[in-house]
Amino acid sequence: MDTVLAIETSCDETAVAVVKNRQVLSSIVASQISIHQQYGGVVPEVASRKHLETINLAIAQALDEANLDWSGIDGIAATCAPGLVGALLVGLTAAKTLAIVHQKPFIGVHHLEGHIYASYLSDPELKPPFLCLLVSGGHTSLIYVKDCGEYQTLGETRDDAAGEAFDKVARLLNLSYPGGPIIDKLAQQGNPLAFPLPEGNISLPGGGYHPYDSSFSGLKTAVLRLVQKLQQDSSQPLPVNDIAASFQASVARSLTKRAIACALDYGLNTIAIGGGVAANSELRKQLQQAAIKHNLQVLFPPLKFCTDNAAMIGCAAAEHLNRGHTSPLTLGTQSRLALANIMEIYKH
Ligand code: KG4
Ligand code: ZN
């Protein structure tokens, strides 16, 4: 049984957790959202500096809440890729330093593998293979989960991630950051059929469209054109609720269609969902309905494990440690790293 202290600083949350295999002993998440809100998005340099200010306190708090001292920790983990390099560096350096000082193994973790492991936290009995629909501010991927460290990306967005599209459309509508939760709330009062919007299909040369890849930048542009047209044609206030509902329904349809097709084509009967957009009520509704129709199971981890946190990183690290996978102290950060190359993290 491996107990891991894990650090996650890939974006705008300073997170530290203590995890015993699939059991969370403590999970601290210090969000920087209120700081970045004034800029309308994450400012990388501000994020790094804030991580630096917060990290030591978060580590102490995570140990304290887990009721452990360093003798109860078997390994120290940190997200090493992908993410904002300066931000990642803070968590990675803290983890390596602690590993040296306390003479513990060090485990680097791929951020997306962490999101996949959030599903194991909510259902410790879950076993691969399954399909993971990962929808966050930085990623929109359909991942075939074969085993720990063994992943095949079957579908991706060709441009904006789903969460990024929510944030950009929110900005277009003069709403605050992050846009996802606000659009979700306004959409409750709107008509999803008010405005027909594209579903982000990628056309194939021989006709038809790519079954698993998507594009959200076209959808975002369609919303921009719609807003411009409405503003030109009428002096009435923008029907923000209807635009939010129509946009959200279109994203949910696009993701649902691809996830279901992918699961059926690959014979996977469980779809686990992760990332901040997994909170979206319309996506949850459409995916649940489609899954019932096709006799598939959908797993929605609780929101605190869907958005960025260190418990999911600790859960992935504990499994790697159990399998004897540790990382060299020379491991660096990478802004991008394909999931297919994940085992590079454990090469000595
Ligand atoms: O996973 P996450 O916390 O951070 C990343 O790794 O990116 O995801 C953040 C994203 C933001 O783009 C935010 O707008 C979106 O998740 N989001 C939502 C909702 N809640 C958060 N998008 C749609 N509906 C929501 N309810
Ligand atoms: Zn994330």
Side-chain angles (χ1 to χ4, degrees), residues 29-107:
V29 181
S31 175
Q32 305 177 356
I33 281 185
S34 58
I35 297 159
H36 297 288
Q37 234 156 17
Q38 57 187 308
Y39 306 108
V42 178
V43 182
E45 185 55 29
V46 174
S48 318
R49 284 166 195 262
K50 204 66 206 164
H51 285 313
L52 205 53
E53 279 173 26
T54 318
I55 188 88
N56 285 332
L57 185 64
I59 293 168
Q61 221 177 329
L63 268 182
D64 191 48
E65 284 191 17
N67 239 330
L68 288 175
D69 58 25
W70 290 106
S71 65
I73 302 293
D74 302 308
I76 299 167
T79 309
C80 59
L84 304 171
V85 166
L88 286 166
L89 206 54
V90 177
L92 195 74
T93 308
K96 285 188 201 171
T97 309
L98 290 168
I100 296 169
V101 170
H102 299 288
Q103 299 187 337
K104 310 278 182 192
F106 161 64
I107 309 111

Side-chain angles (χ1 to χ4, degrees), residues 117-164:
Y117 269 76
S119 297
Y120 292 116
L121 287 177
S122 63
D123 181 2
E125 300 307 317
L126 174 68
K127 286 189 178 54
F130 61 88
L131 182 69
C132 178
L133 169 64
L134 179 48
V135 272
S136 69
H139 299 273
T140 301
S141 309
L142 281 162
I143 303 161
Y144 186 154
V145 180
K146 296 178 180 172
D147 197 0
C148 173
E150 259 188 76
Y151 309 101
Q152 188 182 353
T153 303
L154 300 174
E156 274 180 308
T157 170
R158 298 281 178 94
D159 37 58
D160 294 353
E164 196 178 350

Side-chain angles (χ1 to χ4, degrees), residues 64-301:
D64 191 48
E65 284 191 17
N67 239 330
L68 288 175
D69 58 25
W70 290 106
S71 65
I73 302 293
D74 302 308
I76 299 167
T79 309
C80 59
L84 304 171
V85 166
L88 286 166
L89 206 54
V90 177
L92 195 74
T93 308
K96 285 188 201 171
T97 309
L98 290 168
I100 296 169
V101 170
H102 299 288
Q103 299 187 337
K104 310 278 182 192
F106 161 64
I107 309 111
V109 176
H110 191 291
H111 184 75
L112 298 196
E113 188 178 44
H115 275 299
I116 293 168
Y117 269 76
S119 297
Y120 292 116
L121 287 177
S122 63
D123 181 2
E125 300 307 317
L126 174 68
K127 286 189 178 54
F130 61 88
L131 182 69
C132 178
L133 169 64
L134 179 48
V135 272
S136 69
H139 299 273
T140 301
S141 309
L142 281 162
I143 303 161
Y144 186 154
V145 180
K146 296 178 180 172
D147 197 0
C148 173
E150 259 188 76
Y151 309 101
Q152 188 182 353
T153 303
L154 300 174
E156 274 180 308
T157 170
R158 298 281 178 94
D159 37 58
D160 294 353
E164 196 178 350
F166 271 95
D167 296 338
K168 287 181 175 170
V169 165
R171 207 174 310 156
L172 251 162
L173 298 173
N174 272 327
L175 306 170
S176 159
Y177 172 85
I182 305 169
I183 290 189
D184 197 352
K185 196 160 167 235
L186 296 177
Q188 313 295 327
Q189 317 297 325
N191 173 10
L193 302 174
F195 303 106
L197 289 167
E199 274 172 32
N201 293 336
I202 309 250
S203 302
L204 291 174
Y209 59 87
H210 195 288
Y212 315 135
D213 281 359
S214 51
S215 155
F216 289 113
S217 82
L219 173 58
K220 175 199 65 194
T221 309
V223 176
L224 172 67
R225 299 248 160 81
L226 173 68
V227 168
Q228 287 169 336
K229 187 169 184 325
L230 289 168
Q231 279 169 336
Q232 243 169 33
D233 295 354
S234 157
S235 54
Q236 296 291 314
L238 267 185
V240 174
N241 296 352
D242 285 347
I243 300 173
S246 303
F247 163 74
Q248 174 171 288
S250 166
V251 174
R253 261 197 314 275
S254 166
L255 294 172
T256 301
K257 203 158 74 179
R258 285 166 177 80
I260 298 286
C262 204
L264 293 175
D265 291 350
Y266 281 81
L268 299 167
N269 48 31
T270 301
I271 303 172
I273 180 158
V277 184
N280 188 261
S281 56
E282 181 66 20
L283 175 62
R284 286 179 174 240
K285 192 176 96 191
Q286 288 197 24
L287 204 52
Q288 192 65 59
Q289 281 173 351
I292 291 170
K293 197 165 136 205
H294 294 281
N295 213 7
L296 300 169
Q297 193 203 344
V298 196
L299 203 67
F300 293 103

Side-chain angles (χ1 to χ4, degrees), residues 8 10 111-112 115 136 139 275 306-308 312:
E8 153 63 43
S10 68
H111 184 75
L112 298 196
H115 275 299
S136 69
H139 299 273
C306 283
T307 52
D308 284 354
M312 66 185 195

